[in-house]
Amino acid sequence: MNALLTVENLHKGFVLHGQGGTALEVMHDLSLELRAGECLVLAGRSGIGKSTLLKMLYGNYLARRGSIRLHFSDGPLELTDLPAHAWHPLRRDVIGYVSQFLRVVPRVSAVEVVMEPLLARGADAWDARTKAETLLSRLNLPERLWQLPPGTFSGGEQQRVNIARGFIGEHPLLLLDEPTASLDAANRAEVVALIHEAKARGTAMLGIFHDEDVRSQVADRLLPLDDHLMAKTTHFPGQPS
Ligand SMILES: Nc1ncnc2c1ncn2[C@@H]1O[C@H](COP(=O)(O)OP(=O)(O)OP(=O)(O)O)[C@@H](O)[C@H]1O
């Protein structure tokens, strides 16, 4: 089967303007391929650049150079030079992202946070609510919390709202940044089940999982980033990032 996502010779660095222009080289010549229905797990020490890679694939960070391509039936789409306005439909329809922390919006209830990706695509509100409630119930979020804004929820409760929001859209590509980090064993098992169901419907997933047990249950392949990335700090005021 052909790749849904290809990354070629990706480089990334940051310039810390508040620190006298210190240049931090994070990613050096990274390449990878991801197919539909496959879960590729990023491995490597803390700070190697795993979250940075996911943020580049989601358009939050710009690449210094290299290529990130999505392959559709009518041809490839290069993401590194995609105009800002093109990211909105891409995130709505193609790339889903479960970030480490929920972005809380005041006065928006947990169930509405979860429904929103479906409503953005024009789904029927009743269907979207039913799907959101099913996911929240699978993830053991107490029903009394569904109508409350998640701002005051515990870390694990917020993470489960975030996971439900990430999975409800059934995007062809799903980026998972430590989705099980603050979950107990029962909820970790539920996330593993959601990942297996997503694989079965052909979702391509790229994820970070620190829990060895979860990783071994979901990973089709591991990508050890130490082989590809070198992090070094040089003091080079004015170097472009
Ligand atoms: N916006 C930013 N500005 C400056 N430096 C950044 C930025 N984002 C990430 N970095 C740096 O890039 C490096 C990689 O960070 P990243 O969060 O990708 O690591 P990670 O492998 O996901 O780590 P962990 O496993 O601890 O979450 C770190 O040294 C971090 O300080």
Side-chain angles (χ1 to χ4, degrees), residues 14 16 24 26 45-52 61 178 210:
F14 297 100
L16 308 177
L24 187 66
V26 177
R45 64 166 172 77
S46 173
I48 193 80
K50 302 179 295 294
S51 296
T52 297
Y61 288 167
E178 298 189 47
H210 286 306

Side-chain angles (χ1 to χ4, degrees), residues 28 39 186 195:
H28 178 78
C39 181
I195 291 172

Side-chain angles (χ1 to χ4, degrees), residues 95-109:
I95 311 178
Y97 180 39
V98 178
S99 56
Q100 271 177 300
F101 303 104
L102 179 68
R103 196 173 58 87
V104 179
V105 183
R107 286 188 285 280
V108 179
S109 71

Side-chain angles (χ1 to χ4, degrees), residues 39 41 176 178-196 199 207-220 222:
C39 181
V41 172
L176 301 166
E178 298 189 47
T180 56
S182 24
L183 302 187
D184 57 24
N187 285 310
R188 280 200 301 275
E190 201 53 54
V191 175
V192 169
L194 287 171
I195 291 172
H196 284 149
K199 273 192 210 185
I208 304 169
F209 300 92
H210 286 306
D211 185 308
E212 291 284 346
D213 188 42
V214 171
R215 190 189 279 190
S216 67
Q217 291 181 64
V218 301
D220 295 302
L222 280 185

